[in-house]
Amino acid sequence: MNPTLVAVVLSLFSAVAYAAAAVAQERLAARSAGSGTLRLLAEGAWWWSVTLNASAALLHVAALKYGTLTLVQPLGALTLVAAVPLGARVAGRRVSAVEWRGTALTLTGLAALLVTASGAAPDEVLSLPQALAVAGTTAAVIGALARGARPGLRHATAAGFASGVASALTQTVTVAATDRSDSPLSAQVAVVALLVAAFAAGGLLLSQTAYQGGLGAPLAVVTLANPLAAAAIGLSLLGERLQGGAAGLLLALAGASVAAWGVVTLSRSAPEPAATGDAHLDGPADDDHPVAAVLALGPNGAAYEPSLVPRQTDSGHLTSL
């Protein structure tokens, strides 16, 4: 089977699993507000969301085995796309026109990227010196961006870079560990796996910090910075190339711009309440943004959302840029 097709299908299933987990976490957090974290351990819904998160992560790792970083990482935006109808259905409302527009823009841009980023399954990996150099450079950039305790878009950018680098290093671990010409427990695999864990955890903590200042803009920045960092590593160190020469490059840039526009639209869209006379009796969960927890996918990530997402007035935006 075509490796590009396999990578796209796995990325699609991963995005749907992440979105379902995020929506479940958001609803559970709204119902359990103030009840404490330990009580969540007794909730079957919480364990179901953890299972979805783990399954999504495994699917993402598998996709990195068959697809390049420039292909797989941008497809992560499909999580936002999948979360919109799932969140709307759970909240008992219709998808708004703004959300449909953001979805259409994101899918159109990703389709253009899919044409130019398709290629053979990855076979090159970062050497240990390269992995250490990438880790050191990224850590320095993250340190500069995250300086200062006040949350902001700098923390969101740092979170996106950390997550993107974690995925790039994950691909090295996956490809190297499944290469039958070498031991899956080599020193390279072990060291890079530790770096993956460090950057993945750092990305989660940085994103949580960024969301303290509001969700919309940080959500978009994290979503866009992640594939940017991964693609930079793939194109500069792993020999990845865009298809179609100069025309392909222009198409990729156009697709990335349109997809970014769609991501920003989805991140800033404010859903309308369910059109029923008793909608206000359903509790705050029905008014929450359907992608509120999409990028805070740790088991406890969604528990912070009720205090992070400001209530809507008439501005139509979650945050102001």
Side-chain angles (χ1 to χ4, degrees), residues 19 88 94-95 156 240 244 269 278 287 320:
R94 293 183 178 181
V95 178
E240 297 182 5
S269 63
D278 297 329
D287 296 330
S320 57

Side-chain angles (χ1 to χ4, degrees), residues 21-45:
V23 172
Q25 286 176 317
E26 185 182 29
R27 302 286 292 184
L28 182 61
R31 294 199 309 266
S32 306
S35 61
T37 303
L38 292 179
R39 185 174 177 181
L40 292 176
L41 298 178
E43 293 277 356

Side-chain angles (χ1 to χ4, degrees), residues 50-285:
V50 171
T51 301
L52 285 172
N53 275 328
S55 300
L58 290 175
L59 288 167
H60 179 71
V61 171
L64 289 172
K65 167 64 178 175
Y66 294 99
T68 62
L69 289 168
T70 51
L71 171 69
V72 174
Q73 288 307 109
L75 292 178
L78 290 174
T79 300
L80 289 171
V81 173
V84 169
L86 287 174
R89 182 174 180 81
V90 170
R93 65 172 184 83
R94 293 183 178 181
V95 178
S96 69
V98 174
E99 290 168 335
W100 280 124
R101 184 166 66 250
T103 297
L105 289 169
T106 304
L107 291 176
T108 300
L110 290 177
L113 287 173
L114 181 62
V115 172
T116 59
S118 59
D123 55 3
E124 294 190 33
V125 298
L126 296 173
S127 65
L128 187 55
Q130 285 178 326
L132 293 174
V134 167
T137 302
T138 306
V141 172
I142 289 174
L145 288 171
R147 185 176 301 167
R150 185 176 180 180
L153 296 184
R154 294 177 293 103
H155 291 82
T157 304
F161 285 171
S163 299
V165 169
S167 289
L169 296 174
T170 296
Q171 186 179 69
T172 287
V173 172
T174 303
V175 174
T178 55
D179 183 3
R180 297 182 180 180
S181 65
D182 196 8
S183 170
L185 299 178
S186 65
Q188 177 193 22
V189 172
V191 172
V192 176
L194 290 175
L195 293 175
V196 169
F199 279 105
L204 177 62
L205 293 175
L206 287 165
S207 65
Q208 289 294 331
T209 301
Y211 296 152
Q212 292 176 15
L215 181 71
L219 180 67
V221 170
V222 170
T223 306
L224 298 174
N226 182 319
L228 180 63
I233 295 172
L235 293 172
S236 61
L237 297 177
L238 295 176
E240 297 182 5
R241 295 290 181 269
L242 297 175
Q243 307 295 319
L249 177 60
L250 291 176
L251 180 61
L253 291 175
S257 299
V258 173
W261 185 8
V263 167
V264 172
T265 301
L266 287 174
S267 299
R268 292 172 61 91
S269 63
E272 298 176 359
T276 61
D278 297 329
H280 64 284
L281 300 176
D282 293 335

